[in-house]
Amino acid sequence: MSATDPLDTLDDAQAAAAFRRLVRHLRHRSDAQNIDLMGLSGFCRNCLADWIRDAGYPGDKAEARELIHGMPASEWKKTQAAATPEQLTRMEESVKKNAPAH
C-alpha cells in the first residue's frame, strides 16, 4: 500500500504560480538574509536555485541564482551581511533536520 502525498495532486499551474509568488516575496524581502533562512528553515534562495536546476532548468548555477535573486549573484552578495559564528552554527543544526532529497 503506497500513500499518495496530497501535494502531488496540486495542479502544476497552481504550484508554479505559488512558486513564483514565493520567489517574488523573497526578492522583495531582501532583509531576510539567506543565512537566517537557512538557520530557521534549512533552505534559502540558493537552495531554490539548486532545486530548479534539479527540476530541469537548463541554465547553469549562476543563471539559476540570478533568476531566483532577480539580479546577478555578485550583486546579491553585496546585500547580505557577513554571517556570524552563531548564525553558521544555527544553520548547520537546521540543515541536519532536512529530509533527504527526493
Side-chain angles (χ1 to χ4, degrees), residues 27-88:
R27 285 179 180 175
H28 175 75
R29 288 297 309 271
S30 58
D31 60 309
Q33 300 285 298
N34 271 357
I35 189 68
D36 292 325
L37 292 173
M38 289 294 293
L40 291 170
S41 62
F43 88 100
C44 69
R45 293 165 185 89
N46 295 336
C47 297
L48 290 174
D50 292 342
W51 296 345
I52 64 169
R53 290 185 68 217
D54 292 346
Y57 176 73
D60 65 16
K61 188 175 186 173
E63 292 168 324
R65 286 187 177 185
E66 184 170 347
L67 180 70
I68 297 298
H69 295 221
M71 64 183 74
S74 59
E75 289 180 35
W76 170 254
K77 285 182 183 180
K78 293 175 187 175
T79 71
Q80 302 288 286
T84 66
E86 293 81 12
Q87 287 172 311
L88 291 170

